[in-house]
Amino acid sequence: MKSKSPESEQYLSASNRITGSIVLVIGALGLLDVLLEWRTTTGLMVSAIIGMFMVLAYVGLIRPSVTLSPENVLLRNHLRDHRIPWSKVTGVDVTDILRVHVDGGRFRAPGVQLVMRDLRKQRVGSRKANAESSISKAEFVVNRIETHQEQYAATSGGEIENGWAVPELAIFGVLAVIAVVAAVVR
């Protein structure tokens, strides 16, 4: 759990963040290598492609999270953000990932997910999940969301807001254009 303020709680997949950070460091080392041995348009094309993979790693592994505040629950998915007021939340559960139910639908949140190893252990009836398993962590987040829903549903209002991950999409688009132009000029 990572807190932005005393009233805000953020939940995310630590293993995904670690893996994403490792990929970003490897990508940065690749960019450094290209920079040190500049190869004109070929170097520019390779740099843009490495940058695109770094954006994909960020979007796929680091960006997803669930943030609880007194006003709403913010689900940051790979390319979309969903800001749901507590008055609109009708339920929450976990299948393979967290699902927040609203009237007429549900939103999936890959920031909180179950690890297949923990699911297999649960299915074969091995011992109760320990406090470090993904099942226990997901159940904790479900309990926190239910608590927030009960506590803040009467005072929160508004509509569900959906938005795209504009900075990430823009950076990816610019890098894709640079890679194509560099490939054509080369």
PDB file of all heavy atoms in Angstrom, residues 52-78:
ATOM      1  N   MET A  52       9.493   2.936 -27.344  1.00  0.00           N
ATOM      2  CA  MET A  52       8.142   2.372 -27.441  1.00  0.00           C
ATOM      3  C   MET A  52       7.986   1.166 -26.520  1.00  0.00           C
ATOM      4  O   MET A  52       6.961   1.014 -25.845  1.00  0.00           O
ATOM      5  CB  MET A  52       7.832   2.004 -28.891  1.00  0.00           C
ATOM      6  CG  MET A  52       7.637   3.213 -29.789  1.00  0.00           C
ATOM      7  SD  MET A  52       7.607   2.865 -31.561  1.00  0.00           S
ATOM      8  CE  MET A  52       6.480   1.526 -31.710  1.00  0.00           C
ATOM      9  N   PHE A  53       9.005   0.310 -26.481  1.00  0.00           N
ATOM     10  CA  PHE A  53       8.943  -0.846 -25.575  1.00  0.00           C
ATOM     11  C   PHE A  53       8.944  -0.393 -24.110  1.00  0.00           C
ATOM     12  O   PHE A  53       8.287  -1.010 -23.266  1.00  0.00           O
ATOM     13  CB  PHE A  53      10.088  -1.819 -25.838  1.00  0.00           C
ATOM     14  CG  PHE A  53       9.831  -2.723 -27.005  1.00  0.00           C
ATOM     15  CD1 PHE A  53      10.627  -2.650 -28.139  1.00  0.00           C
ATOM     16  CD2 PHE A  53       8.795  -3.641 -26.981  1.00  0.00           C
ATOM     17  CE1 PHE A  53      10.386  -3.476 -29.227  1.00  0.00           C
ATOM     18  CE2 PHE A  53       8.546  -4.478 -28.058  1.00  0.00           C
ATOM     19  CZ  PHE A  53       9.343  -4.395 -29.188  1.00  0.00           C
ATOM     20  N   MET A  54       9.651   0.681 -23.813  1.00  0.00           N
ATOM     21  CA  MET A  54       9.663   1.196 -22.442  1.00  0.00           C
ATOM     22  C   MET A  54       8.275   1.735 -22.063  1.00  0.00           C
ATOM     23  O   MET A  54       7.808   1.516 -20.940  1.00  0.00           O
ATOM     24  CB  MET A  54      10.733   2.279 -22.287  1.00  0.00           C
ATOM     25  CG  MET A  54      12.153   1.734 -22.348  1.00  0.00           C
ATOM     26  SD  MET A  54      13.416   3.017 -22.362  1.00  0.00           S
ATOM     27  CE  MET A  54      13.285   3.639 -20.690  1.00  0.00           C
ATOM     28  N   VAL A  55       7.614   2.415 -22.988  1.00  0.00           N
ATOM     29  CA  VAL A  55       6.262   2.907 -22.728  1.00  0.00           C
ATOM     30  C   VAL A  55       5.316   1.728 -22.517  1.00  0.00           C
ATOM     31  O   VAL A  55       4.482   1.745 -21.607  1.00  0.00           O
ATOM     32  CB  VAL A  55       5.770   3.826 -23.871  1.00  0.00           C
ATOM     33  CG1 VAL A  55       4.290   4.140 -23.723  1.00  0.00           C
ATOM     34  CG2 VAL A  55       6.575   5.113 -23.917  1.00  0.00           C
ATOM     35  N   LEU A  56       5.441   0.690 -23.343  1.00  0.00           N
ATOM     36  CA  LEU A  56       4.607  -0.500 -23.176  1.00  0.00           C
ATOM     37  C   LEU A  56       4.840  -1.169 -21.818  1.00  0.00           C
ATOM     38  O   LEU A  56       3.893  -1.620 -21.163  1.00  0.00           O
ATOM     39  CB  LEU A  56       4.861  -1.498 -24.305  1.00  0.00           C
ATOM     40  CG  LEU A  56       4.339  -1.098 -25.686  1.00  0.00           C
ATOM     41  CD1 LEU A  56       4.770  -2.113 -26.734  1.00  0.00           C
ATOM     42  CD2 LEU A  56       2.828  -0.927 -25.676  1.00  0.00           C
ATOM     43  N   ALA A  57       6.098  -1.232 -21.383  1.00  0.00           N
ATOM     44  CA  ALA A  57       6.404  -1.811 -20.068  1.00  0.00           C
ATOM     45  C   ALA A  57       5.775  -0.973 -18.958  1.00  0.00           C
ATOM     46  O   ALA A  57       5.203  -1.513 -18.000  1.00  0.00           O
ATOM     47  CB  ALA A  57       7.917  -1.912 -19.868  1.00  0.00           C
ATOM     48  N   TYR A  58       5.860   0.343 -19.083  1.00  0.00           N
ATOM     49  CA  TYR A  58       5.260   1.224 -18.079  1.00  0.00           C
ATOM     50  C   TYR A  58       3.745   1.038 -18.035  1.00  0.00           C
ATOM     51  O   TYR A  58       3.152   0.860 -16.976  1.00  0.00           O
ATOM     52  CB  TYR A  58       5.605   2.691 -18.365  1.00  0.00           C
ATOM     53  CG  TYR A  58       4.869   3.639 -17.460  1.00  0.00           C
ATOM     54  CD1 TYR A  58       5.274   3.828 -16.151  1.00  0.00           C
ATOM     55  CD2 TYR A  58       3.733   4.311 -17.906  1.00  0.00           C
ATOM     56  CE1 TYR A  58       4.580   4.673 -15.303  1.00  0.00           C
ATOM     57  CE2 TYR A  58       3.036   5.150 -17.070  1.00  0.00           C
ATOM     58  CZ  TYR A  58       3.455   5.332 -15.779  1.00  0.00           C
ATOM     59  OH  TYR A  58       2.752   6.158 -14.939  1.00  0.00           O
ATOM     60  N   VAL A  59       3.130   1.072 -19.217  1.00  0.00           N
ATOM     61  CA  VAL A  59       1.673   0.959 -19.298  1.00  0.00           C
ATOM     62  C   VAL A  59       1.193  -0.407 -18.816  1.00  0.00           C
ATOM     63  O   VAL A  59       0.196  -0.515 -18.116  1.00  0.00           O
ATOM     64  CB  VAL A  59       1.207   1.238 -20.751  1.00  0.00           C
ATOM     65  CG1 VAL A  59      -0.214   0.785 -20.981  1.00  0.00           C
ATOM     66  CG2 VAL A  59       1.344   2.709 -21.076  1.00  0.00           C
ATOM     67  N   GLY A  60       1.903  -1.454 -19.172  1.00  0.00           N
ATOM     68  CA  GLY A  60       1.464  -2.795 -18.820  1.00  0.00           C
ATOM     69  C   GLY A  60       1.785  -3.223 -17.409  1.00  0.00           C
ATOM     70  O   GLY A  60       1.033  -3.988 -16.802  1.00  0.00           O
ATOM     71  N   LEU A  61       2.891  -2.727 -16.861  1.00  0.00           N
ATOM     72  CA  LEU A  61       3.342  -3.243 -15.570  1.00  0.00           C
ATOM     73  C   LEU A  61       3.314  -2.233 -14.426  1.00  0.00           C
ATOM     74  O   LEU A  61       3.085  -2.617 -13.280  1.00  0.00           O
ATOM     75  CB  LEU A  61       4.767  -3.796 -15.719  1.00  0.00           C
ATOM     76  CG  LEU A  61       4.898  -4.994 -16.663  1.00  0.00           C
ATOM     77  CD1 LEU A  61       6.364  -5.308 -16.912  1.00  0.00           C
ATOM     78  CD2 LEU A  61       4.171  -6.191 -16.112  1.00  0.00           C
ATOM     79  N   ILE A  62       3.571  -0.982 -14.701  1.00  0.00           N
ATOM     80  CA  ILE A  62       3.709  -0.006 -13.620  1.00  0.00           C
ATOM     81  C   ILE A  62       2.444   0.828 -13.414  1.00  0.00           C
ATOM     82  O   ILE A  62       2.064   1.121 -12.291  1.00  0.00           O
ATOM     83  CB  ILE A  62       4.928   0.905 -13.870  1.00  0.00           C
ATOM     84  CG1 ILE A  62       6.194   0.064 -13.852  1.00  0.00           C
ATOM     85  CG2 ILE A  62       5.002   2.033 -12.861  1.00  0.00           C
ATOM     86  CD1 ILE A  62       7.460   0.818 -14.188  1.00  0.00           C
ATOM     87  N   ARG A  63       1.775   1.216 -14.468  1.00  0.00           N
ATOM     88  CA  ARG A  63       0.651   2.133 -14.390  1.00  0.00           C
ATOM     89  C   ARG A  63      -0.569   1.602 -13.632  1.00  0.00           C
ATOM     90  O   ARG A  63      -1.188   2.343 -12.868  1.00  0.00           O
ATOM     91  CB  ARG A  63       0.241   2.555 -15.800  1.00  0.00           C
ATOM     92  CG  ARG A  63      -0.792   3.651 -15.813  1.00  0.00           C
ATOM     93  CD  ARG A  63      -1.092   4.100 -17.237  1.00  0.00           C
ATOM     94  NE  ARG A  63      -1.825   5.327 -17.247  1.00  0.00           N
ATOM     95  CZ  ARG A  63      -3.134   5.411 -17.046  1.00  0.00           C
ATOM     96  NH1 ARG A  63      -3.838   4.323 -16.830  1.00  0.00           N
ATOM     97  NH2 ARG A  63      -3.731   6.586 -17.053  1.00  0.00           N
ATOM     98  N   PRO A  64      -1.010   0.352 -13.813  1.00  0.00           N
ATOM     99  CA  PRO A  64      -2.253  -0.096 -13.171  1.00  0.00           C
ATOM    100  C   PRO A  64      -2.218   0.010 -11.646  1.00  0.00           C
ATOM    101  O   PRO A  64      -1.277  -0.435 -11.000  1.00  0.00           O
ATOM    102  CB  PRO A  64      -2.374  -1.560 -13.603  1.00  0.00           C
ATOM    103  CG  PRO A  64      -1.592  -1.648 -14.862  1.00  0.00           C
ATOM    104  CD  PRO A  64      -0.444  -0.696 -14.668  1.00  0.00           C
ATOM    105  N   SER A  65      -3.273   0.621 -11.095  1.00  0.00           N
ATOM    106  CA  SER A  65      -3.389   0.750  -9.641  1.00  0.00           C
ATOM    107  C   SER A  65      -4.841   1.034  -9.275  1.00  0.00           C
ATOM    108  O   SER A  65      -5.664   1.350 -10.127  1.00  0.00           O
ATOM    109  CB  SER A  65      -2.480   1.869  -9.119  1.00  0.00           C
ATOM    110  OG  SER A  65      -2.922   3.123  -9.595  1.00  0.00           O
ATOM    111  N   VAL A  66      -5.124   0.926  -7.992  1.00  0.00           N
ATOM    112  CA  VAL A  66      -6.436   1.251  -7.441  1.00  0.00           C
ATOM    113  C   VAL A  66      -6.195   2.251  -6.315  1.00  0.00           C
ATOM    114  O   VAL A  66      -5.434   1.974  -5.389  1.00  0.00           O
ATOM    115  CB  VAL A  66      -7.140  -0.012  -6.889  1.00  0.00           C
ATOM    116  CG1 VAL A  66      -8.451   0.337  -6.222  1.00  0.00           C
ATOM    117  CG2 VAL A  66      -7.338  -1.034  -7.986  1.00  0.00           C
ATOM    118  N   THR A  67      -6.834   3.420  -6.411  1.00  0.00           N
ATOM    119  CA  THR A  67      -6.671   4.463  -5.399  1.00  0.00           C
ATOM    120  C   THR A  67      -8.014   4.760  -4.762  1.00  0.00           C
ATOM    121  O   THR A  67      -8.985   5.066  -5.459  1.00  0.00           O
ATOM    122  CB  THR A  67      -6.087   5.750  -6.021  1.00  0.00           C
ATOM    123  OG1 THR A  67      -4.866   5.423  -6.692  1.00  0.00           O
ATOM    124  CG2 THR A  67      -5.812   6.793  -4.954  1.00  0.00           C
ATOM    125  N   LEU A  68      -8.066   4.669  -3.443  1.00  0.00           N
ATOM    126  CA  LEU A  68      -9.285   4.946  -2.695  1.00  0.00           C
ATOM    127  C   LEU A  68      -9.156   6.298  -2.013  1.00  0.00           C
ATOM    128  O   LEU A  68      -8.152   6.578  -1.355  1.00  0.00           O
ATOM    129  CB  LEU A  68      -9.507   3.872  -1.624  1.00  0.00           C
ATOM    130  CG  LEU A  68      -9.405   2.413  -2.054  1.00  0.00           C
ATOM    131  CD1 LEU A  68      -9.618   1.508  -0.849  1.00  0.00           C
ATOM    132  CD2 LEU A  68     -10.377   2.105  -3.146  1.00  0.00           C
ATOM    133  N   SER A  69     -10.163   7.135  -2.175  1.00  0.00           N
ATOM    134  CA  SER A  69     -10.213   8.420  -1.484  1.00  0.00           C
ATOM    135  C   SER A  69     -11.634   8.604  -0.959  1.00  0.00           C
ATOM    136  O   SER A  69     -12.534   7.859  -1.354  1.00  0.00           O
ATOM    137  CB  SER A  69      -9.830   9.555  -2.435  1.00  0.00           C
ATOM    138  OG  SER A  69     -10.831   9.735  -3.408  1.00  0.00           O
ATOM    139  N   PRO A  70     -11.873   9.575  -0.100  1.00  0.00           N
ATOM    140  CA  PRO A  70     -13.235   9.776   0.404  1.00  0.00           C
ATOM    141  C   PRO A  70     -14.244  10.122  -0.690  1.00  0.00           C
ATOM    142  O   PRO A  70     -15.433   9.852  -0.538  1.00  0.00           O
ATOM    143  CB  PRO A  70     -13.078  10.947   1.382  1.00  0.00           C
ATOM    144  CG  PRO A  70     -11.662  10.889   1.811  1.00  0.00           C
ATOM    145  CD  PRO A  70     -10.904  10.399   0.619  1.00  0.00           C
ATOM    146  N   GLU A  71     -13.789  10.676  -1.795  1.00  0.00           N
ATOM    147  CA  GLU A  71     -14.702  11.081  -2.860  1.00  0.00           C
ATOM    148  C   GLU A  71     -15.036   9.949  -3.824  1.00  0.00           C
ATOM    149  O   GLU A  71     -16.156   9.859  -4.321  1.00  0.00           O
ATOM    150  CB  GLU A  71     -14.110  12.243  -3.681  1.00  0.00           C
ATOM    151  CG  GLU A  71     -13.871  13.507  -2.897  1.00  0.00           C
ATOM    152  CD  GLU A  71     -12.567  13.469  -2.093  1.00  0.00           C
ATOM    153  OE1 GLU A  71     -11.615  12.761  -2.511  1.00  0.00           O
ATOM    154  OE2 GLU A  71     -12.527  14.117  -1.052  1.00  0.00           O
ATOM    155  N   ASN A  72     -14.024   9.091  -4.142  1.00  0.00           N
ATOM    156  CA  ASN A  72     -14.228   8.092  -5.186  1.00  0.00           C
ATOM    157  C   ASN A  72     -13.157   7.016  -5.134  1.00  0.00           C
ATOM    158  O   ASN A  72     -12.230   7.087  -4.347  1.00  0.00           O
ATOM    159  CB  ASN A  72     -14.210   8.766  -6.567  1.00  0.00           C
ATOM    160  CG  ASN A  72     -12.955   9.576  -6.791  1.00  0.00           C
ATOM    161  OD1 ASN A  72     -11.853   9.122  -6.507  1.00  0.00           O
ATOM    162  ND2 ASN A  72     -13.098  10.781  -7.302  1.00  0.00           N
ATOM    163  N   VAL A  73     -13.319   6.046  -6.027  1.00  0.00           N
ATOM    164  CA  VAL A  73     -12.295   5.030  -6.259  1.00  0.00           C
ATOM    165  C   VAL A  73     -11.777   5.281  -7.672  1.00  0.00           C
ATOM    166  O   VAL A  73     -12.556   5.462  -8.604  1.00  0.00           O
ATOM    167  CB  VAL A  73     -12.839   3.593  -6.084  1.00  0.00           C
ATOM    168  CG1 VAL A  73     -14.033   3.318  -6.967  1.00  0.00           C
ATOM    169  CG2 VAL A  73     -11.758   2.568  -6.335  1.00  0.00           C
ATOM    170  N   LEU A  74     -10.469   5.360  -7.796  1.00  0.00           N
ATOM    171  CA  LEU A  74      -9.823   5.589  -9.092  1.00  0.00           C
ATOM    172  C   LEU A  74      -9.169   4.292  -9.537  1.00  0.00           C
ATOM    173  O   LEU A  74      -8.275   3.779  -8.866  1.00  0.00           O
ATOM    174  CB  LEU A  74      -8.771   6.703  -9.005  1.00  0.00           C
ATOM    175  CG  LEU A  74      -7.900   6.907 -10.239  1.00  0.00           C
ATOM    176  CD1 LEU A  74      -8.725   7.335 -11.440  1.00  0.00           C
ATOM    177  CD2 LEU A  74      -6.811   7.932  -9.949  1.00  0.00           C
ATOM    178  N   LEU A  75      -9.632   3.752 -10.671  1.00  0.00           N
ATOM    179  CA  LEU A  75      -9.052   2.553 -11.248  1.00  0.00           C
ATOM    180  C   LEU A  75      -8.198   2.970 -12.429  1.00  0.00           C
ATOM    181  O   LEU A  75      -8.721   3.443 -13.436  1.00  0.00           O
ATOM    182  CB  LEU A  75     -10.150   1.590 -11.726  1.00  0.00           C
ATOM    183  CG  LEU A  75     -11.213   1.209 -10.701  1.00  0.00           C
ATOM    184  CD1 LEU A  75     -12.264   0.320 -11.338  1.00  0.00           C
ATOM    185  CD2 LEU A  75     -10.590   0.547  -9.504  1.00  0.00           C
ATOM    186  N   ARG A  76      -6.889   2.845 -12.282  1.00  0.00           N
ATOM    187  CA  ARG A  76      -5.965   3.159 -13.378  1.00  0.00           C
ATOM    188  C   ARG A  76      -5.635   1.856 -14.081  1.00  0.00           C
ATOM    189  O   ARG A  76      -4.898   1.042 -13.551  1.00  0.00           O
ATOM    190  CB  ARG A  76      -4.698   3.811 -12.844  1.00  0.00           C
ATOM    191  CG  ARG A  76      -4.910   5.232 -12.393  1.00  0.00           C
ATOM    192  CD  ARG A  76      -3.624   5.836 -11.956  1.00  0.00           C
ATOM    193  NE  ARG A  76      -2.691   5.763 -13.075  1.00  0.00           N
ATOM    194  CZ  ARG A  76      -1.764   6.646 -13.342  1.00  0.00           C
ATOM    195  NH1 ARG A  76      -1.630   7.687 -12.572  1.00  0.00           N
ATOM    196  NH2 ARG A  76      -0.963   6.499 -14.361  1.00  0.00           N
ATOM    197  N   ASN A  77      -6.202   1.671 -15.253  1.00  0.00           N
ATOM    198  CA  ASN A  77      -5.925   0.490 -16.041  1.00  0.00           C
ATOM    199  C   ASN A  77      -4.793   0.794 -17.003  1.00  0.00           C
ATOM    200  O   ASN A  77      -4.183   1.860 -16.936  1.00  0.00           O
ATOM    201  CB  ASN A  77      -7.191   0.039 -16.770  1.00  0.00           C
ATOM    202  CG  ASN A  77      -8.233  -0.469 -15.799  1.00  0.00           C
ATOM    203  OD1 ASN A  77      -7.932  -0.758 -14.656  1.00  0.00           O
ATOM    204  ND2 ASN A  77      -9.459  -0.560 -16.241  1.00  0.00           N
ATOM    205  N   HIS A  78      -4.520  -0.117 -17.913  1.00  0.00           N
ATOM    206  CA  HIS A  78      -3.396   0.055 -18.821  1.00  0.00           C
ATOM    207  C   HIS A  78      -3.511   1.347 -19.629  1.00  0.00           C
ATOM    208  O   HIS A  78      -2.562   2.122 -19.681  1.00  0.00           O
ATOM    209  CB  HIS A  78      -3.269  -1.144 -19.757  1.00  0.00           C
ATOM    210  CG  HIS A  78      -3.113  -2.432 -19.018  1.00  0.00           C
ATOM    211  ND1 HIS A  78      -2.012  -2.708 -18.238  1.00  0.00           N
ATOM    212  CD2 HIS A  78      -3.918  -3.514 -18.921  1.00  0.00           C
ATOM    213  CE1 HIS A  78      -2.152  -3.908 -17.697  1.00  0.00           C
ATOM    214  NE2 HIS A  78      -3.296  -4.415 -18.101  1.00  0.00           N
TER     215      HIS A  78
END
